[in-house]
């Protein structure tokens, strides 16, 4: 999620970009909150996002893909890249508000684009606010094009019946987890060739951020998966279960599998004692969006995903995928 720049300031000192270090995390987190809170007009920007944590979680997932911009030696912004196999995305890219429109965002794009080159991702993406012409133009310079409005949705958890053949990755014996990851790669690869959520699944488990739902099919394959963050200290925040990514196996019964996955996500939220379920949905997948609405989800924020190249990637109408690239 990338906030627009604000008014132009003058007098920026020497800008450099380097890896984001552990000692930088508190300051980077503060800038992240203030940048979003300032743009959205939050009365106390430093408290924006509450107990949700995007900076520390993404740094811990891959410190080599986290970058800091400094001005005269002081942290002025940060950016993060994520490697999902054939797909890469980045964010949050944030800059200290008093330094907006000074080219710092462009400097923070450079190492991220280098990551994508190294990883050889075929399809790249980001989420930003659709009413921010400056950012649409900034990312267009790097080959990104706005394609789909994306709804950030939520629903109150009402509890749900147990979903048959639902397994949690974190509850599997360690000896069975590599096999589960292989099944996940097969499922996501069927959605889009080379798409892999292995790093997200492992990072979510290793950091204790939540769990990954695995829906077993009739045979040995998976019917669906959902990487979920749960509660304070994760990307969800207090009393929230956030579906960072979800997908079901394509085919004639994909819609039914998607309904089952939504119910399984709500079951996990209820088991964890969480009152709200959050998820993002590309409006380029209209049937999946309609089924989320029918399930009780409502949009509270809307943005746009930008893609490189200017193609839908896995955001095609027949895909039943939950994601928003925040």
């Amino acid at each position: 999620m990338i906030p627009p720049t604000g008014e132009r300031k003058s007098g920026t000192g020497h800008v450099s970009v380097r890896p984001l270090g552990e000692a930088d995390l508190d300051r980077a987190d503060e800038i992240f909150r203030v940048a979003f809170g300032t743009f959205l007009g939050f009365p106390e920007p430093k408290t924006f996002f509450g107990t949700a944590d995007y900076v520390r979680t993404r740094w811990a997932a891959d410190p080599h893909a986290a970058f800091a911009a400094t001005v005269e030696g002081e942290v002025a912004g940060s950016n993060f890249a994520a490697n999902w196999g054939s797909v890469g995305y980045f964010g949050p890219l944030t800059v200290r508000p008093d330094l907006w429109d000074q080219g710092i965002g462009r400097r923070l794009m450079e190492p991220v684009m280098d990551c994508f080159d190294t990883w050889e991702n075929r399809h790249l993406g980001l989420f930003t606010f659709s009413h921010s012409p400056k950012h649409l133009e900034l990312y267009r310079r790097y080959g990104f094009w706005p394609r789909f409005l994306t709804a950030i949705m939520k629903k109150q958890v009402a509890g749900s019946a147990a979903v048959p053949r639902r397994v949690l990755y974190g509850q599997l014996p360690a000896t069975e987890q590599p096999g589960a990851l292989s099944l996940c790669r097969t499922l996501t690869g069927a959605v889009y060739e080379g798409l892999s959520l292995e790093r997200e699944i492992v990072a979510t488990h290793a950091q204790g951020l939540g769990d990954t739902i695995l829906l077993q099919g009739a045979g040995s394959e998976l019917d669906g998966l959902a990487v979920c963050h749960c509660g304070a200290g994760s990307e969800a925040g207090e009393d929230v279960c956030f579906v960072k990514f979800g997908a079901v196996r394509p085919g004639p019964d994909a819609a039914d599998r998607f309904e089952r996955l939504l119910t399984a996500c709500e079951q996990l939220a209820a088991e964890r004692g969480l009152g709200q379920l959050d998820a993002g949905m590309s409006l380029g997948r209209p049937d999946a969006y309609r089924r989320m609405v029918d399930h009780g989800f409502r949009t509270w924020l809307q943005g746009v995903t930008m893609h490189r190249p200017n193609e839908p990637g896995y955001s095609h109408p027949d895909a039943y995928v939950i994601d928003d690239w925040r």
Side-chain angles (χ1 to χ4, degrees):
M1 187 190 297
I2 303 155
T5 55
E7 69 280 3
R8 178 175 295 276
K9 299 292 184 181
S10 60
T12 302
H14 175 70
V15 179
S16 63
V17 175
R18 58 169 173 77
L20 184 70
E22 188 170 7
D24 302 319
L25 295 180
D26 286 347
R27 182 59 175 145
D29 179 76
E30 180 182 5
I31 292 170
F32 157 73
R33 296 173 189 278
V34 170
F36 277 103
T38 299
F39 167 66
L40 294 173
F42 200 68
E44 297 182 36
K46 286 186 179 182
T47 65
F48 197 68
F49 281 101
T51 58
D53 193 329
Y54 280 68
V55 169
R56 295 175 185 83
T57 57
R58 297 198 179 184
W59 178 85
D62 191 351
H64 299 293
F67 304 96
T70 64
V71 175
E72 302 300 335
E74 298 292 329
V75 175
S78 60
N79 197 8
F80 304 82
N83 184 3
W84 287 359
S86 60
V87 175
Y89 79 97
F90 70 89
L93 190 165
T94 51
V95 175
R96 211 172 74 202
D98 63 302
L99 296 173
W100 282 346
D101 285 355
Q102 295 298 296
I104 296 174
R106 291 195 296 275
R107 294 293 306 277
L108 282 166
M109 285 294 299
E110 294 165 3
V112 162
M113 298 307 293
D114 289 342
C115 281
F116 296 146
D117 288 342
T118 299
W119 296 336
E120 298 182 337
N121 312 110
R122 294 199 308 274
H123 195 86
L124 308 178
L126 65 110
F127 175 99
T128 193
F129 294 107
S130 53
H131 60 291
S132 174
K134 289 183 179 181
H135 270 61
L136 297 179
E137 174 59 20
L138 169 62
Y139 302 122
R140 189 197 62 76
R141 296 178 185 177
Y142 292 89
F144 293 90
W145 291 84
R147 288 197 61 92
F148 303 106
L149 289 176
T150 295
I152 309 301
M153 309 178 77
K154 64 182 178 181
K155 78 175 299 282
Q156 295 305 303
V157 174
S160 62
V163 176
R165 301 191 304 279
R166 188 207 71 160
V167 176
L168 297 179
Y169 175 83
Q171 293 179 356
L172 292 173
T175 55
E176 296 181 16
Q177 289 176 350
L181 293 173
S182 178
L183 291 174
C184 290
R185 285 193 299 272
T186 299
L187 188 155
T188 54
V191 173
Y192 184 78
E193 184 180 2
L195 174 64
S196 173
L197 270 291
E198 180 174 349
R199 291 175 179 84
E200 291 291 344
I201 294 169
V202 171
T204 298
H205 176 61
Q207 295 182 56
L209 302 177
D211 215 327
T212 298
I213 296 168
L214 308 175
L215 296 184
Q216 296 176 323
S220 60
E221 59 192 357
L222 289 182
D223 276 352
L225 68 88
V227 183
C228 298
H229 284 213
C230 298
S234 74
E235 294 177 21
E238 187 174 359
D239 201 35
V240 176
C241 176
F242 167 46
V243 185
K244 184 166 184 177
F245 181 91
V248 300
R249 181 165 50 85
D253 298 321
D256 292 338
R257 290 191 283 270
F258 189 65
E259 296 276 5
R260 184 174 160 222
L261 185 65
L262 293 177
T263 302
C265 291
E266 188 160 9
Q267 180 187 347
L268 177 63
E271 289 172 349
R272 296 294 179 95
L274 303 171
Q276 183 173 302
L277 184 60
D278 283 12
M281 173 57 64
S282 167
L283 301 189
R285 301 188 283 263
D287 191 60
Y289 170 74
R290 179 181 63 80
R291 290 176 185 275
M292 289 189 69
V293 171
D294 290 345
H295 201 79
F297 284 89
R298 295 295 180 265
T299 301
W300 66 273
L301 180 67
Q302 186 168 277
V304 64
T305 52
M306 300 185 70
H307 296 238
R308 172 181 166 175
N310 189 12
E311 299 171 352
Y314 59 79
S315 290
H316 54 82
D318 296 330
Y320 289 84
V321 177
I322 300 171
D323 75 321
D324 52 48
W325 287 345
R326 275 186 285 172

